[in-house]
Amino acid sequence: MHIVRFVSPLAGADAVGVDDGEQVVELSGVTTVGELLRLPSGELRERCAGADGTRHPSGSVRRLAPVDGLMEVWAAGVTYRRSREARVLESERAADVYELVYDAERPELFFKSVAWKVTGDGGRIAVRADSEIDVPEPELGLVLNAAGEIVGYTVVDDVSSRTIEGVNPLYLPQAKIYLGACAVGPAIRPAWEVADPYALDITLTIARAGETVWDGKSSTSELHRRLDELAGYLFRADTFPDGAVLATGTSLVPDLPFTLQDGDTVTIGIAEVGTLTTTVVRGLNAMR
């Protein structure tokens, strides 16, 4: 089962429901994912199990990114050895910063996007016009309710400018927070249906003009942090009334000097969670 945000074919309005692969059943009385994430995990599970609203064939609905309302997307950095190596390699003056944070007690967490800027499955992501090296970063996303409980998982693409971040770590917000830099979807896999989140295969494929130009595979088994630890740090001194998505870091980074180009197709798959596919555009005007 997946929790989906979609456009209702009948009402033409945004709706939230559960998809069993054959049909999507709307959740009566729930109009946003944020509303659902206000519930404690046990009550949320009961609401999903008892879905009794309008039914639609799964293939008949247009899915939207599963973030809305006051939800925020955050991300963790340098949580895999591959990510640490890539950051050290690209950094011109502060490579030791990434070495230190990898083994530090406190993880690196940073804000990624507000809900309305998030791209969904089948949408567009952007690379900055003032950057030369840009890459997708496939990540397992934790879906957290207002109480900070891990209630689901989703796929996140933390699109990043390696050029900008490599010059100075203080440029990280410009490297990672801009229109088109965050994709989430295609849905939310409930946490209670995933037996072991530390044993999920992650794949990344980048296609250009119909040909694969980069692909790779890894696993969440390589994660250097505990998922509940990351969630706990995010909620230590902040509140999220409509819940949040926390991307847990990447283990797949193309080697330098590979960069995304306008027209590329990026496909990220996470076993048991879903597949997120987007198309690359270059610059703000194209993303608008």
Side-chain angles (χ1 to χ4, degrees), residues 132-143:
E132 297 177 0
I133 304 294
D134 308 273
V135 293
E137 294 190 5
E139 308 189 14
L140 175 69
L142 308 180
V143 180

Side-chain angles (χ1 to χ4, degrees), residues 1-4 17-20 153 186-190 193 272-274:
M1 178 180 74
H2 286 82
I3 300 169
V4 293
V18 294
D19 185 357
D20 64 5
Y153 304 100
I188 298 169
R189 183 69 188 272
E193 292 195 351
E272 300 185 47
V273 178

Side-chain angles (χ1 to χ4, degrees), residues 5-262:
R5 176 172 170 255
F6 63 100
V7 177
S8 172
L10 299 179
D14 294 0
V16 178
V18 294
D19 185 357
D20 64 5
E22 295 184 358
Q23 62 179 356
V24 174
V25 184
E26 294 188 25
L27 291 168
S28 301
V30 177
T31 58
T32 68
V33 176
E35 290 176 16
L36 197 61
L37 295 181
R38 295 172 196 167
L39 303 175
S41 59
E43 188 174 343
L44 189 154
R45 182 172 182 175
E46 290 178 1
R47 289 297 301 274
C48 291
D52 60 356
T54 305
R55 287 167 161 74
H56 313 278
S58 293
S60 69
V61 301
R62 179 167 66 88
R63 288 166 174 74
L64 304 171
V67 291
D68 55 26
L70 296 178
M71 291 179 67
E72 299 177 8
V73 180
W74 283 68
V78 200
T79 55
Y80 289 86
R81 182 176 298 277
R82 174 59 183 140
S83 179
R84 181 190 68 173
E85 293 170 348
R87 297 295 180 263
V88 169
L89 182 63
E90 75 191 15
S91 181
E92 297 179 10
R93 299 181 179 87
D96 59 331
V97 170
Y98 300 102
E99 294 279 11
L100 291 172
V101 77
Y102 182 76
D103 292 316
E105 178 180 353
R106 181 184 295 272
E108 177 198 10
L109 299 180
F110 57 90
F111 174 77
K112 182 65 181 178
S113 183
V114 292
W116 69 268
K117 288 187 177 181
V118 175
T119 294
D121 183 52
R124 294 179 294 176
I125 56 174
V127 294
R128 294 181 59 125
D130 59 352
S131 175
E132 297 177 0
I133 304 294
D134 308 273
V135 293
E137 294 190 5
E139 308 189 14
L140 175 69
L142 308 180
V143 180
L144 308 169
N145 67 3
E149 300 172 294
I150 301 173
V151 296
Y153 304 100
T154 190
V155 183
V156 178
D157 187 356
D158 171 22
V159 187
S160 303
S161 164
R162 298 188 72 178
T163 299
I164 294 174
E165 186 180 359
V167 172
N168 190 317
L170 294 179
Y171 294 162
L172 182 140
Q174 296 176 74
K176 289 180 171 287
I177 307 170
Y178 59 87
L179 187 65
C182 181
V184 179
I188 298 169
R189 183 69 188 272
W192 58 86
E193 292 195 351
V194 178
D196 186 0
Y198 299 98
L200 305 177
D201 288 338
I202 304 174
T203 59
L204 169 63
T205 302
I206 304 171
R208 183 171 300 157
E211 300 290 335
T212 298
V213 292
W214 198 91
D215 66 346
K217 181 179 179 179
S218 64
S219 170
T220 56
S221 63
E222 302 170 22
L223 187 63
H224 187 58
R225 301 275 185 175
R226 296 288 302 178
L227 300 178
D228 55 351
E229 170 198 359
L230 295 173
Y233 269 97
L234 181 63
F235 276 73
R236 273 194 174 191
D238 209 347
T239 59
F240 302 89
D242 279 2
V245 171
L246 175 58
T248 55
T250 190
S251 53
L252 289 170
V253 182
D255 292 329
L256 292 170
F258 181 90
T259 184
L260 290 172
Q261 294 184 11
D262 184 62

